[in-house]
Amino acid sequence: DTVMTQSPDSLAVSLGERATINCKSSQSILYSSDNKNYLAWYQQKPGQPPKLLISWASTRESGVPDRFSGSGSATDFTLTVNSLQAEDVAVYYCQQYYFTPHTFGQGTKLEIK
Amino acid sequence: QVQLVQSGAEVKKPGASVKVSCKVSGYTFTNYYIHWVRQAPGQGLEWMGIINPSGGRASYAQKFQGRVTMTRDTSASTVHLELSSLRSEDTAMYYCTRAPAPIGPFDIWGQGTLVTVSS
């Protein structure tokens, strides 16, 4: 199975500051035929299902604030939250959806400092 | 609007089976694949498998092979997940979620169905 490893496991950032979450895949999820990275980021708030924030490593979903951005390629990816807001407190998961099983990272808990 | 609405919470005894349903609306049922993902209490997300509502073909994570069955009812725009030989470790929130292709991001999620396995 493709192992997705996130770092850190938890993160406390002051309001208005930047949060950075990393995700590393045990194998490349860059598909050469279309040059796309099969990597998504989800946000999960307590008592809610996950919400898709970013697909294809860097494509923000409609309605997602532009303070959220994704970057990286092949095996190393980053989710950046600029100017942290109180409503961004959540657990964030990366996921690869190229290989079966479609594995998730263990999650990163983002809190306010 | 697009919705995936799941059936209600279940409490089952060890060794029993459970069937969870996921009714979709707001889009053409056969145009999107449905995945099932589960989340044990306080834990992360675990992919269980995928079903193509168009032909009904399903593919399961090896971990669940032999215990899981995914089916669909096109007339009701509903997908079902059945998990058998339940054990306490199967206690979790079960989510259905859709994707535009077999390998694609999961863009809309159901609200989740809590399955509790307890004697």
Side-chain angles (χ1 to χ4, degrees):
Chain A
D1 295 358
T2 305
V3 178
M4 307 299 288
T5 304
Q6 293 181 225
S7 61
D9 289 335
S10 63
L11 181 61
V13 173
S14 300
L15 289 171
E17 297 300 306
R18 176 183 299 166
T20 300
I21 300 171
N22 300 301
C23 175
K24 189 173 185 66
S25 174
S26 61
Q27 57 185 318
S28 176
I29 50 177
L30 171 62
Y31 189 34
S32 58
S33 69
D34 61 9
N35 201 36
K36 286 184 173 182
N37 288 285
Y38 285 61
L39 188 284
W41 288 97
Y42 300 87
Q43 175 193 64
Q44 187 177 32
K45 296 182 178 181
Q48 297 183 18
K51 173 188 174 183
L52 177 64
L53 293 179
I54 288 171
S55 57
W56 311 109
S58 60
T59 301
R60 204 167 35 246
E61 292 299 296
S62 175
V64 173
D66 61 6
R67 63 179 180 274
F68 290 91
S69 63
S71 62
S73 186
T75 60
D76 293 279
F77 302 90
T78 300
L79 174 69
T80 302
V81 186
N82 285 307
S83 189
L84 189 73
Q85 305 296 303
E87 61 263 32
D88 300 334
V89 169
V91 178
Y92 292 84
Y93 295 93
C94 63
Q95 179 216 19
Q96 65 80 20
Y97 47 88
Y98 184 71
F99 298 103
T100 300
H102 298 313
T103 42
F104 294 84
Q106 79 277 18
T108 295
K109 187 174 185 179
L110 178 58
E111 299 173 308
I112 305 295
K113 186 186 292 182
Chain B
Q1 74 281 24
V2 175
Q3 289 190 90
L4 280 64
V5 178
Q6 298 183 223
S7 52
E10 302 266 10
V11 179
K12 296 292 182 181
K13 293 193 182 302
S17 296
V18 69
K19 193 170 186 177
V20 178
S21 66
C22 172
K23 182 173 176 62
V24 316
S25 61
Y27 71 94
T28 301
F29 178 62
T30 52
N31 283 359
Y32 286 78
Y33 292 73
I34 296 292
H35 298 259
W36 288 91
V37 174
R38 77 177 187 179
Q39 186 172 36
Q43 302 301 308
L45 302 167
E46 181 175 34
W47 182 82
M48 299 182 69
I50 178 177
I51 183 167
N52 180 355
S54 180
R57 182 177 177 179
S59 176
Y60 310 127
Q62 190 167 8
K63 174 177 179 176
F64 301 102
Q65 289 277 0
R67 282 208 303 143
V68 68
T69 305
M70 297 176 189
T71 57
R72 97 290 191 217
D73 178 350
T74 52
S75 65
S77 297
T78 299
V79 173
H80 302 281
L81 167 76
E82 185 165 18
L83 189 62
S84 63
S85 303
L86 290 169
R87 37 216 189 220
S88 59
E89 310 90 87
D90 294 317
T91 293
M93 187 71 79
Y94 289 76
Y95 294 104
C96 60
T97 176
R98 74 167 199 177
I103 47 174
F106 301 173
D107 64 351
I108 304 291
W109 293 64
Q111 84 276 18
T113 296
L114 179 62
V115 175
T116 303
V117 182
S118 173
S119 54

